[in-house]
């Protein structure tokens, strides 16, 4: 069996970024992946501006503890100022342009507006005080956002701050999903003897939606080799990636592995991972002449990832392998999960021979508590927890030790 790191390296090596891009309105680009650098066409701020409500002054005009100056102009944000007359102050507001000649802002709390319209300055500022200098944030012609950036609220605001109304982004990934198992039943339907509700469908669809994928959901496929092969052929026509849940183990009713081998090939199967040992990666051949007119389904094969059927195993392997794989296909460079060094506030005396990912929660003391039942069937642990502890093979955890923690806040979106 491959180690977790070897498996991730192999999967990412196969994830060559797709070339399809499109131009979208910046307001509609949340969650998309930038396909072309955003270059600033202006400085930000575009002129010296006031960081405070107060008075613009010349430092050389201020002598003594209390200086009274006439107010020569009023400068709201968005209005062009006149040059500051010598020996005067200008009433100015946050974000307003600093008038030529002024070299400091005195905030209004350190001033007193007098009845005759003048102002008493009770503070001796340093030159440049409370002035946001032109280009302090962004310089013209500099790269503001690099291609491969996953666009979230701050990045969209940054693009807007340099006047970018449209962005070139990677087209949404086309993903087909299906779920195998005669025992699976959808919520709302009667639960037959020996059946379970299909929770994986809800988990995986939500995770794919969070990654901005366009989905074709084939639902529940019977435990039948011919049916599984037929779905694989159809899914390969116009999808970039096929994801299955269940049927990748070695039981007599596990038909996904032989179906993929019949319709394509498997290059990775079984990982020294707990939960999630029966993870598979491969490719499914496209039928002759398949492929969409929009560039989707171009190439001879579609990627395939088979996830285990146990709910926690499916969830964990998606976060560790499918998520970075999808991001890499979209052009994101840094896709590996972030690990944070944290203190374990529990003891686990039994070491597993596989790389174990424990569901854990951050406690009030800033340490980590582990969920009492780490079974791959206990989906409760994923709701209770704040993330996963990456515990190496053969490693026991003692309370007080430092462990590697992967927060769900990084992995679910």
């Amino acid at each position: 069996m491959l180690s977790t790191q070897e498996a991730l390296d192999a999967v990412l090596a196969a994830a060559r970024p797709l070339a399809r891009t499109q131009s979208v309105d910046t307001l509609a680009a949340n969650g998309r992946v930038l396909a072309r650098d955003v270059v600033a066409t202006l400085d930000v701020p575009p002129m010296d501006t006031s960081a405070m409500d107060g008075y613009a002054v010349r430092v050389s005009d201020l002598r003594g503890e209390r200086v009274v100056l006439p107010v020569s102009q009023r400068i709201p944000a968005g209005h062009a100022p006149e040059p500051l007359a010598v020996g005067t102050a200008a009433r100015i507001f946050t974000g307003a342009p600093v008038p030529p000649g002024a070299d400091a802002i005195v905030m209004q709390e350190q001033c007193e507006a007098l009845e005759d319209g003048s102002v008493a300055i009770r503070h001796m500022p340093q030159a440049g005080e409370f002035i946001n200098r032109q280009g302090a944030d962004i310089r013209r012609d500099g790269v503001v956002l690099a291609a491969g950036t996953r666009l979230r609220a701050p990045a969209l605001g940054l693009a807007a701050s340099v006047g970018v109304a449209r962005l070139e982004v990677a087209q949404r990934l086309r993903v087909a999903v299906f779920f195998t198992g005669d025992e699976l039943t959808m919520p709302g339907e009667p639960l037959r003897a020996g059946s379970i509700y299909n929770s994986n469908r809800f988990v995986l669809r939500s995770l794919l939606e969070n990654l901005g994928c366009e989905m074709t959901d084939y639902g529940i496929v019977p435990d039948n080799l011919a049916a599984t092969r037929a779905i694989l052929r159809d899914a390969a026509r116009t999808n970039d990636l096929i994801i299955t849940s269940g049927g990748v183990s070695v039981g007599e009713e596990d038909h996904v592995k032989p179906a993929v081998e019949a319709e394509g090939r498997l290059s990775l199967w079984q990982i020294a991972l707990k939960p999630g040992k029966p993870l598979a990666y491969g490719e499914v051949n496209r039928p002759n002449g398949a492929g969409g007119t929009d560039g989707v389904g171009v190439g001879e094969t579609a990627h395939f990832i088979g996830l285990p059927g146990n709910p926690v195993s499916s969830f964990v392997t998606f976060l560790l392998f499918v998520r970075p794989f999808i991001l890499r296909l979209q052009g994101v460079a840094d896709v590996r999960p972030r690990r944070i060094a944290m203190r374990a506030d529990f003891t686990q005396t039994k070491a597993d021979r596989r790389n174990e990912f424990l569901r854990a929660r951050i406690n009030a003391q800033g340490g980590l508590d582990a969920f009492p039942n780490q079974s791959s069937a206990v989906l409760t642990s994923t709701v209770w927890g704040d993330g996963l502890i990456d515990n190496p093979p053969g490693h026991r955890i003692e309370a007080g030790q430092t462990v590697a923690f992967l927060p769900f806040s990084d992995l679910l979106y």
Side-chain angles (χ1 to χ4, degrees), residues 17 25 63 67 87 108 134 148 179 193 208 244 252 342 353 357:
D25 192 295
R63 293 291 183 269
V67 177
Q108 62 188 16
Q134 178 176 341
F179 308 84
L208 289 168
T244 63
E252 292 183 9
M342 294 190 69
R353 62 186 179 87
F357 285 83

Side-chain angles (χ1 to χ4, degrees), residues 33-390:
V33 176
L34 192 62
R36 183 181 300 166
D37 291 349
V38 174
V39 178
T41 58
L42 75 167
D43 292 332
V44 178
M47 74 291 289
D48 290 353
T49 59
S50 177
M52 291 283 180
D53 289 347
Y55 293 85
V57 297
R58 278 186 175 83
V59 173
S60 60
D61 287 337
L62 305 180
R63 293 291 183 269
E65 295 182 359
R66 184 177 186 274
V67 177
V68 176
L69 298 174
V71 177
S72 56
Q73 58 180 307
R74 185 177 184 273
I75 314 170
H79 292 260
E82 298 292 332
L84 183 65
V86 175
T88 70
R91 180 70 167 118
I92 197 167
F93 298 89
T94 303
V98 175
D103 56 7
I105 306 296
V106 182
M107 62 180 179
Q108 62 188 16
E109 291 85 352
Q110 296 171 326
C111 302
E112 180 185 355
L114 304 178
E115 292 184 1
D116 63 359
S118 60
V119 61
I121 309 293
R122 296 196 297 262
H123 169 69
M124 183 64 184
Q126 299 293 318
E129 192 166 321
F130 292 128
I131 294 178
N132 292 325
R133 293 298 185 188
Q134 178 176 341
D137 185 12
I138 298 168
R139 288 290 186 183
R140 181 175 180 169
D141 297 328
V143 174
V144 177
L145 294 168
T149 299
R150 195 159 176 232
L151 299 168
R152 291 302 189 190
L156 295 175
L158 192 56
S161 75
V162 294
V164 176
R166 296 188 69 81
L167 294 165
E168 191 73 15
V169 300
Q171 277 194 3
R172 296 188 187 277
L173 203 69
R174 289 287 304 274
V175 180
V177 293
F178 65 88
F179 308 84
T180 66
D182 290 340
E183 76 279 11
L184 297 179
T185 301
M186 284 297 292
E189 299 174 358
L191 195 62
R192 308 180 310 275
S195 296
I196 58 172
Y197 287 122
N198 185 6
S199 62
N200 286 348
R201 189 177 189 184
F202 293 82
V203 173
L204 297 185
R205 280 184 58 113
S206 297
L207 291 170
L208 289 168
E209 287 171 1
N210 289 347
L211 290 170
C213 299
E214 292 183 3
M215 272 179 289
T216 303
D217 184 353
Y218 287 92
I220 300 169
V221 175
D223 282 329
N224 176 284
L225 180 59
T228 305
R229 290 185 63 177
I231 294 294
L232 287 173
R233 286 194 298 271
D234 190 65
R237 291 178 183 276
T238 56
N239 287 283
D240 304 302
L241 170 64
I242 303 167
I243 298 174
T244 63
S245 174
V248 289
S249 194
V250 291
E252 292 183 9
E253 296 300 321
D254 291 320
H255 299 293
V256 171
K257 181 175 180 288
V260 173
E261 290 172 328
E263 298 295 333
R265 65 184 182 90
L266 279 180
S267 55
L268 181 154
W269 181 59
Q270 293 199 336
I271 301 171
L273 172 70
K274 182 181 180 180
K277 173 184 171 184
L279 176 85
Y281 170 77
E283 295 173 323
V284 177
N285 298 324
R286 300 191 197 281
N288 292 335
T293 57
D294 58 356
V296 178
V298 171
E300 296 180 354
T301 61
H303 296 286
F304 167 82
I305 297 180
L307 301 179
N310 277 329
V312 179
S313 298
S314 178
F315 174 70
V316 169
T317 50
F318 185 99
L319 298 184
L320 296 181
F321 297 98
V322 181
R323 180 181 184 275
F325 184 82
I326 287 174
L327 292 176
R328 179 62 58 83
L329 288 178
Q330 293 176 321
V332 179
D334 185 12
V335 299
R336 295 177 186 270
R338 182 170 64 112
R339 285 164 166 76
I340 302 173
M342 294 190 69
R343 184 188 71 248
D345 284 349
F346 64 94
T347 296
Q348 179 173 287
T349 56
K350 184 179 178 181
D352 198 281
R353 62 186 179 87
R354 291 176 285 170
N355 186 180
E356 191 171 11
F357 285 83
L358 307 170
R359 279 75 72 203
R361 182 165 69 180
I362 302 170
N363 58 38
Q365 292 72 44
L368 295 172
D369 296 327
F371 194 74
N373 186 348
Q374 292 288 330
S375 166
S376 61
V378 181
L379 198 56
T380 310
S381 63
T382 63
V383 177
W384 176 90
D386 295 317
L388 304 170
I389 293 174
D390 182 354

